[in-house]
Amino acid sequence: MSEHTSPDDRLNELTAALSSEIAPPSDLWPAIRGELAPRTRRTIHWDTRWRLAAAALLVAASSSILTMFAMRAREHAPATVAVTPRDTAPVTQRLPAHLAVAERGYERSVDALWRTLDERRDSLAPSTVATVERSLRIADSAIAEARSALEQDPSNRVLAELFVSNYERKIDLLRRATELAPRT
Amino acid sequence: MRRIVLTLAAVAVSATSLHAQRKVHAAYAVTPDVSVRLFASVGTVQVVGWDKDSVVVSGIVASGSDVALGTPGAGPTRGLKLFVESPTEQAVREGSLTVRVPRGARVWLKTGSADVTAGEVTGGLDLNVVGGSITVHGSPRELRAESMDGAVTIDGTPSWMRVKTATGNITLRGGEDVGASTISGTIDARGGEVERVKLESTTGAIRFALGLTRGASVEMETHSGPIDVQLSRKMQPEIDAATVTATIENLWSKIAPVTGREGRGMSLEIGGGQMGGRVVLRSFKGKITVRGL
């Protein structure tokens, strides 16, 4: 009958023959206890100190770099830069937390793209700049309207979706505008 | 006498114009899936797919244009970069190029105010204009078409398509995976069939009258443009529509839309049949209408 035994049955036979307990090696426990023992105050202290120092350095370096870029952008911007009204200055306190975070991220992207667009403004055709600005005003107006409605009804998911989509379309438009070829 | 003077003047203008132009012609042996990158500041560009393993660029540009068409190599090339820049706005309008490519080619074209027409390409098209229009005939595997001002018309059903404009109107006939987005242009989708589609606008109207494949996924979203959806009665998709302040008109079934909280906005939910797909409609203040095709 053994020729008809299925692989599963055979496996069951083999596993049944195995011991149900395995004693650990006698020298294993000291090593585990060493790993579980609380770290000394000194170790934790220095770890934290190093981490804080590294974080401080990182923040200082990023801040300096961002400031440098911002200053350069300002220096290189033409005198006529203050172009488009920014209708959607965010007041993030009144939005739901996740949307406030999203909005801050969007605004950072918008600012960066605006700086790039301002730098390239003189190389674009006036009609193109006019089209872009007109469309951005429409996008800003839609964002402001959705934002205002969200403040009244923060749990409205449809509204939240529309708010986010309006921002994404605006950012996409800005991105495309920054990628236009000169004199177009 | 006056007629003669006018005729002479016309001939003189024409001669000046012709004198200020020069012909362009270049041909390259290429692989069937060649990648062609073309920057052209001219008035019109025509991209035509053909059954030959060669790229031929021909046309007229204003004299004084900066033309870099490269030198044909000894064997078939896999990539080409072509460049035409006209010296003035007037010169741009006078320039005209026709680019013939193998059908399976991938073409990347960037231009300013040119009217671009592409046809018979089954590979990939990435077309980018500012003020001109884009018209695509046929069904490339991949299509990306972006315009600021100009209209985009896709007269085919690409497998994958993304269309974006700022103010330009978009017309399309469906495809497998379709995305179209505009700020204030309109989106008109009719005449074909679609599997996955997302249409979005800020203020532009969206009109949808495409057939749906089994299990199709349809999304439309606007801030203030009206959304008009026509659906074939052959399919029974699930419909989920919601507005923030606008009305919803349901001419598709007898289910009445529900007025939202505080008496503003509406929602409409209609269960679908098996494999009927799903249609999601979202609007802030643009009216949504759902009806039979």
Side-chain angles (χ1 to χ4, degrees):
Chain A
M1 295 296 280
S2 62
E3 66 270 25
H4 297 299
T5 307
S6 73
D8 284 350
D9 293 340
R10 180 66 186 140
L11 185 63
N12 287 340
E13 280 172 28
L14 288 170
T15 50
L18 289 173
S19 168
S20 58
E21 286 183 4
I22 299 175
S26 57
D27 57 346
L28 191 61
W29 179 242
I32 295 172
R33 189 164 47 195
E35 285 299 311
L36 292 176
R39 292 182 183 185
T40 63
R41 186 178 288 270
R42 183 181 172 82
T43 312
I44 294 169
H45 183 71
W46 275 104
D47 275 356
T48 310
R49 194 180 276 185
W50 277 113
R51 281 179 197 166
L52 283 173
L57 266 175
L58 189 66
V59 168
S62 340
S63 171
S64 305
I65 291 166
L66 285 173
T67 309
M68 185 182 76
F69 278 123
M71 294 299 287
R72 280 190 183 174
R74 242 179 246 174
E75 282 166 15
H76 294 297
T80 53
V81 159
V83 262
T84 303
R86 309 291 293 278
D87 295 339
T88 53
V91 188
T92 48
Q93 291 86 346
R94 285 184 282 176
L95 284 180
H98 68 287
L99 288 177
V101 170
E103 186 176 47
R104 281 198 291 275
Y106 286 136
E107 281 299 323
R108 276 197 294 275
S109 302
V110 166
D111 285 343
L113 288 166
W114 259 112
R115 282 198 293 275
T116 309
L117 186 60
D118 277 341
E119 283 167 16
R120 300 204 50 223
R121 174 174 302 274
D122 291 343
S123 72
L124 297 173
S127 58
T128 303
V129 174
T131 299
V132 171
E133 288 186 345
R134 194 167 60 247
S135 295
L136 287 171
R137 278 195 294 275
I138 292 171
D140 280 342
S141 167
I143 289 169
E145 202 164 12
R147 193 177 199 295
S148 170
L150 259 176
E151 288 171 5
Q152 306 297 317
D153 189 2
S155 60
N156 189 326
R157 287 174 61 187
V158 171
L159 199 42
E161 283 172 28
L162 291 166
F163 174 71
V164 166
S165 294
N166 280 327
Y167 254 119
E168 285 177 353
R169 276 195 295 277
K170 177 183 176 180
I171 287 172
D172 191 61
L173 176 67
L174 268 170
R175 177 196 58 76
R176 289 199 288 131
T178 60
E179 291 171 359
L180 293 174
R183 295 174 51 202
T184 56
Chain B
M1 181 64 187
R2 191 176 170 189
R3 183 177 290 174
I4 292 170
V5 170
L6 282 173
T7 307
L8 284 173
V11 168
V13 168
S14 166
T16 307
S17 178
L18 284 174
H19 182 71
Q21 293 177 334
R22 68 178 163 116
K23 283 186 178 175
V24 169
H25 186 87
Y28 313 84
V30 297
T31 58
D33 60 348
V34 63
S35 288
V36 180
R37 292 176 72 85
L38 170 64
F39 173 83
S41 69
V42 292
T44 61
V45 181
Q46 195 176 8
V47 179
V48 184
W50 66 355
D51 292 322
K52 295 180 182 178
D53 289 345
S54 56
V55 170
V56 174
V57 182
S58 57
I60 293 170
V61 298
S63 56
S65 296
D66 189 2
V67 179
L69 297 180
T71 312
T77 182
R78 295 174 56 86
L80 277 175
K81 282 186 182 176
L82 314 167
F83 178 89
V84 176
E85 182 158 24
S86 306
T88 62
E89 277 294 312
Q90 175 63 27
V92 167
R93 281 192 288 274
E94 289 176 4
S96 172
L97 286 179
T98 299
V99 185
R100 289 186 168 79
V101 300
R103 288 183 195 280
R106 298 177 62 88
V107 180
W108 179 95
L109 168 63
K110 195 162 195 168
T111 181
S113 54
D115 289 324
V116 174
T117 307
E120 306 305 319
V121 175
T122 56
L125 291 171
D126 189 338
L127 310 173
N128 194 310
V129 306
V130 179
S133 63
I134 297 175
T135 305
V136 177
H137 302 291
S139 302
R141 191 174 61 251
E142 283 181 25
L143 169 64
R144 188 184 292 276
E146 296 188 358
S147 158
M148 283 288 172
D149 252 348
V152 178
T153 304
I154 313 300
D155 180 21
T157 53
S159 304
W160 184 93
M161 163 166 59
R162 295 292 180 269
V163 181
K164 291 177 182 176
T165 71
T167 61
N169 296 337
I170 299 171
T171 306
L172 52 92
R173 284 183 48 200
E176 283 176 34
D177 186 343
V178 176
S181 170
T182 179
I183 299 290
S184 58
T186 60
I187 302 177
D188 209 333
R190 63 181 62 235
E193 200 175 59
V194 76
E195 192 174 319
R196 281 185 303 281
V197 62
K198 179 162 188 179
L199 310 177
E200 50 182 320
S201 81
T202 302
T203 60
I206 300 177
R207 289 182 291 272
F208 179 94
L210 294 174
L212 306 183
T213 61
R214 286 165 70 86
S217 165
V218 178
E219 285 180 60
M220 282 170 249
E221 190 181 285
T222 183
H223 181 75
S224 59
I227 297 180
D228 186 304
V229 181
Q230 286 180 267
L231 297 167
S232 164
R233 300 220 178 254
K234 287 180 193 165
M235 286 291 179
Q236 293 293 320
E238 178 187 342
I239 298 174
D240 170 7
T243 70
V244 177
T245 63
T247 57
I248 296 177
E249 187 175 15
N250 179 18
L251 305 172
W252 164 257
S253 71
K254 290 178 180 171
I255 297 174
V258 178
T259 303
R261 286 177 296 177
E262 298 167 11
R264 294 192 313 159
M266 283 186 157
S267 62
L268 172 68
E269 288 184 13
I270 303 174
Q274 271 196 331
M275 301 301 288
R278 180 172 160 83
V279 177
V280 178
L281 311 169
R282 296 286 182 262
S283 167
F284 185 94
K285 59 179 184 180
K287 181 184 175 183
I288 295 178
T289 307
V290 185
R291 53 200 167 107
L293 185 62

